[in-house]
Amino acid sequence: MGYKVAVVGATGAVGREMLKTLAERGFPITAIVALASPRSAGQQLSFGEHQVLTVQNLETFDFAGWDLALFSPGAAVSAIHAPRAAAAGCIVIDNTSHFRMEPDVPLVVPEVNPQALLKYRKRGIIANPNCSTIQMVLALKPLHDRFTCKRVVVSTYQSVSGAGKEGMDELFNNTKAIFVNDPVKPEVFTRNIAFNCIPHIDKFMNDGATKEEWKMTVETRKILDPDIAVFATCVRVPVFIGHSEAVVAEFEKPVNVGEARDLLRNAPGIVVVDEHDDGGYITPADCQGEDATYVSRLRRDPTVPNGLGFWCVADNLRKGAALNAVQIAESLVAQDLLRHAA
Ligand SMILES: NC(=O)c1ccc[n+]([C@@H]2O[C@H](COP(=O)([O-])OP(=O)(O)OC[C@H]3O[C@@H](n4cnc5c(N)ncnc54)[C@H](OP(=O)(O)O)[C@@H]3O)[C@@H](O)[C@H]2O)c1
């Protein structure tokens, strides 16, 4: 027994990881189709050990009879084609920012708010949160349940793969250009990203925050608790894969660091690596290809009454995107919410 699954944006950084994750986790599939723009129609992608998929054009694809579509073709494209797929009876899990804050679209991290999934029926669309939000709410959840989080200040160190395959190419090309003394031409990013940090992800909002920072604030409230205040500074760094975050959280109840460490150790999806020694922490290079979200550098923040600081790292293409989407699909199957293929 299995499902007919479409992967939309299959040639992209997230789409490729989705194909890999579906195959690795043995998601029950009877048919799979890879969709992208007309530019890459006809291109071949491997699925699992033995299957080769020929990419089809999203624009002309008919979703009737397909059970599930995992979308990551960019917000503007999802805005048009995700409702088209849902109207054809195909449940959509969308990785883009387009539907996340719509009240009747659940925004889900399965370990954090699986109960929200049940609201998907009205639109037939479930949204996957922003990569930086996912790893932070995953780490905050067990702490919030025990100590009640009031306020979070977070600084992110986000890899270039968060800007897709073109972001990765730009880091590679800028680095090469600097080594051979060629002029550096930033196109995806606003400045040269090689050997640099750029405090700007997504567009600027009226209040001086960037949209990435706004997303972390509003998505955390939608997923975890509408009363949590979040102040984020999102920074692009010259790392290919893996987002890092320095999180400082303030709680209502007194926080014991040892208890917080135990809560995190027992939380689903979290691995604590926190030896107070050289190298006793996780860096983005360590978490590539890994499913877990890693927490290190746990310590009390003595500047506020009940403060706790930590370092949190995850593979943005996996837990930050593809894995979370596939886990949502697995939850739908577990709750018998996906229509079976004929
Ligand atoms: N990268 C991350 O860490 C991450 C995490 C969470 C969410 N997301 C979101 O996921 C989406 C994709 O990100 P990405 O990193 O995979 O980007 P990407 O590497 O640039 O890939 C974009 C994908 O979308 C396809 N596409 C573009 N225009 C299309 C169109 N008109 N019709 C059909 N397909 C089209 C591309 O196909 P072609 O190859 O044919 O151009 C490609 O498969 C974005 O909305 C992003 O914000 C990304």
Side-chain angles (χ1 to χ4, degrees):
M1 205 138 65
Y3 303 91
K4 293 178 72 175
V5 179
V7 175
V8 182
T11 51
V14 173
R16 285 171 194 269
E17 201 65 37
M18 280 174 167
L19 289 171
K20 202 167 142 210
T21 308
L22 285 167
E24 274 175 15
R25 292 174 72 90
F27 188 81
I29 284 175
T30 50
I32 183 152
V33 63
L35 303 170
S37 79
R39 291 180 292 276
S40 42
Q43 192 180 317
Q44 297 205 310
L45 296 174
S46 55
F47 177 64
E49 303 263 300
H50 308 293
Q51 246 178 296
V52 175
L53 310 176
T54 301
V55 176
Q56 298 187 36
N57 181 0
L58 169 67
E59 277 167 28
T60 51
F61 185 77
D62 181 1
F63 286 92
W66 289 79
D67 299 304
L68 175 71
L70 304 182
F71 267 69
S72 65
V77 180
S78 278
I80 298 165
H81 294 280
R84 183 170 75 77
C90 175
I91 295 173
V92 171
I93 301 172
D94 183 45
N95 256 275
T96 77
S97 57
H98 188 76
F99 299 98
R100 288 181 192 150
M101 293 315 295
E102 296 193 11
D104 49 3
V105 172
L107 183 65
V108 178
V109 179
E111 299 92 333
V112 178
N113 63 337
Q115 71 288 352
L117 260 188
L118 293 172
K119 282 204 302 188
Y120 87 93
R121 285 190 193 278
K122 186 157 177 218
R123 301 279 296 273
I125 299 173
I126 299 156
N128 211 46
N130 177 260
C131 37
S132 305
T133 309
I134 293 178
Q135 66 187 73
M136 186 172 82
V137 295
L138 198 59
L140 286 175
K141 163 79 175 160
L143 304 173
H144 181 55
D145 285 350
R146 170 68 183 85
F147 306 116
T148 313
C149 185
K150 292 194 308 191
R151 175 172 179 257
V152 178
V153 178
V154 54
S155 302
T156 71
Y157 307 73
Q158 295 182 223
S159 68
V160 294
S161 58
K165 56 187 181 201
E166 287 176 2
M168 297 173 86
D169 289 347
E170 187 151 308
L171 172 58
F172 183 81
N173 292 330
N174 286 7
T175 307
K176 208 170 66 177
I178 287 175
F179 271 116
V180 298
N181 220 9
D182 272 352
V184 172
K185 282 188 254 143
E187 283 166 10
V188 177
F189 303 113
T190 50
R191 299 281 191 92
N192 157 46
I193 184 65
F195 310 103
N196 203 4
C197 295
I198 305 174
H200 172 193
I201 299 179
D202 211 331
K203 62 184 183 197
F204 275 93
M205 316 274 291
N206 288 339
D207 64 356
T210 64
K211 194 162 179 206
E212 187 80 354
E213 292 157 356
W214 173 82
K215 285 181 220 163
M216 287 195 79
T217 301
V218 295
E219 292 181 18
T220 299
R221 289 190 187 147
K222 181 167 175 177
I223 298 165
L224 204 53
D225 188 330
D227 292 333
I228 297 179
V230 179
F231 183 82
T233 303
C234 293
V235 181
R236 190 72 74 193
V237 297
V239 165
F240 279 106
I241 293 175
H243 287 359
S244 310
E245 295 174 350
V247 182
V248 184
E250 211 180 321
F251 298 90
E252 239 165 70
K253 297 179 190 142
V255 182
N256 174 294
V257 177
E259 190 184 352
R261 186 176 284 110
D262 288 345
L263 289 167
L264 286 162
R265 279 211 172 103
N266 293 323
I270 300 275
V271 173
V272 177
V273 177
D274 192 19
E275 295 152 25
H276 299 170
D277 209 347
D278 294 352
Y281 37 76
I282 295 295
T283 66
D286 304 316
C287 78
Q288 270 183 44
E290 299 284 329
D291 287 350
T293 291
Y294 292 89
V295 173
S296 307
R297 304 287 330 278
L298 259 176
R299 63 213 188 275
R300 215 179 92 62
D301 169 10
T303 64
V304 289
N306 303 315
L308 187 74
F310 59 89
W311 173 251
C312 163
V313 179
D315 181 329
N316 53 294
L317 298 176
R318 287 201 63 109
K319 186 57 187 168
L323 173 65
N324 198 68
V326 173
Q327 286 174 315
I328 292 173
E330 290 169 349
S331 303
L332 289 171
V333 172
Q335 296 179 53
D336 206 19
L337 296 171
L338 261 189
R339 179 168 60 86
H340 287 285

